[in-house]
Amino acid sequence: MKKLESLEDLLVEELQDIYSAEKQLTKALPKMAKAARSPELRTAFEDHLRETEGHVDRLERAFEILGEKAKAKTCKGMEGLIKEGKEVIEEDAEPPVHDAGLIAAAQKVEHYEIGSYGTMATFAKLLGHSEVESLLKETLDEEKAADEKLTRIAMRDINVKAARGDERAAGNDMMGRSRKVAGGRGGR
C-alpha cells in the first residue's frame, strides 16, 4: 500500500475508490431494475445506470487530467451496500414493501456517493484542479438528483402503498386510530 504523503495522493486514492464503486454499480443496477416491481422504479434504476456509465467516463477524464492511470481500488463500502441490496432483492415481500426496500438500499448507495463526490470536489478545489472539481460536481449533482427522484417515487407511491398494505395486514384498531408504520424506508 502506497503511503499518502499529500492531499493530492488522497484525492487520487479516493478517485480509485469511487471508480471501483461506480463500476460495481454498473453491474448491480440492472439487477435492481429487474427486481423492481414498479415500472416507475424500474425506469429510475435504468436511467441511473446510464448516468452511472457517464460517471465512470467522467472519472476516467479526471484521472487523465491529473496525469494518473484510471485504476480501481476495491471499494469495500460499496461492496457492502451492494450486498445489502442483493439481500433485499432476495426477500420474500409484498410488491410495494419489496420496492420500498429497494429504494432504501439505493438511497444508501446514493448517500455514500454524495459524501464521496462532495469530499473529492472539495479536495480538487483546494488543490486548484478546477476542471476535475467541475467533473466531480457534475456527478455530485446527478447523485443528489437521483436520491431526490427516489424519495419522490417512494413518498408519492411506493411507501404509501406499502404503508396501506401494512395497515390492512395489522387489522384496524378498535378505537379507529391509525397504526404507525415501522421503518419509513426509501424516503423522508
Side-chain angles (χ1 to χ4, degrees):
M1 178 177 271
K2 179 183 168 187
K3 181 179 178 183
L4 298 176
E5 297 181 3
S6 67
L7 189 60
E8 183 92 22
D9 291 345
L10 183 57
L11 173 60
V12 171
E13 186 169 278
E14 290 295 316
L15 286 167
Q16 292 169 344
D17 183 78
I18 200 71
Y19 188 57
S20 165
E22 295 287 20
K23 287 185 161 279
Q24 290 177 52
L25 279 173
T26 62
K27 295 176 183 150
L29 280 166
K31 294 173 186 169
M32 292 183 79
K34 184 177 179 184
R37 306 222 171 100
S38 157
E40 184 179 19
L41 182 57
R42 183 177 309 114
T43 299
F45 286 145
E46 291 166 349
D47 291 347
H48 197 55
L49 172 60
R50 285 186 288 281
E51 280 184 343
T52 300
E53 290 165 346
H55 301 167
V56 170
D57 291 341
R58 272 190 217 119
L59 288 168
E60 289 171 351
R61 284 191 304 211
F63 280 117
E64 186 179 316
I65 292 164
L66 295 173
E68 297 285 337
K69 181 180 179 209
K71 71 176 190 177
K73 175 187 171 197
T74 303
C75 180
K76 298 194 185 305
M78 190 58 69
E79 281 181 345
L81 291 170
I82 288 172
K83 183 178 178 187
E84 284 186 25
K86 185 177 183 222
E87 290 170 1
V88 172
I89 288 170
E90 294 169 355
E91 285 286 339
D92 180 22
E94 291 298 315
V97 175
H98 187 262
D99 282 353
L102 289 174
I103 290 171
Q107 286 192 298
K108 288 177 185 179
V109 166
E110 294 309 323
H111 294 186
Y112 182 88
E113 291 179 304
I114 289 166
S116 295
Y117 280 103
T119 298
M120 290 184 300
T122 298
F123 290 170
K125 180 178 184 170
L126 287 169
L127 293 165
H129 297 303
S130 58
E131 193 175 354
V132 172
E133 177 192 7
S134 178
L135 290 169
L136 296 170
K137 281 186 171 180
E138 186 176 353
T139 300
L140 175 62
D141 289 344
E142 288 178 0
E143 300 295 9
K144 288 177 179 178
D147 179 54
E148 290 168 9
K149 183 176 189 176
L150 289 168
T151 295
R152 280 192 307 276
I153 293 169
M155 296 305 291
R156 183 181 62 241
D157 182 43
I158 292 171
N159 286 2
V160 174
K161 287 178 181 174
R164 269 191 255 141
D166 286 349
E167 288 175 1
R168 275 196 300 272
N172 290 326
D173 190 318
M174 289 183 64
M175 298 184 72
R177 291 177 280 152
S178 65
R179 298 183 183 263
K180 289 186 178 179
V181 179
R185 298 172 92 167
R188 291 164 284 293

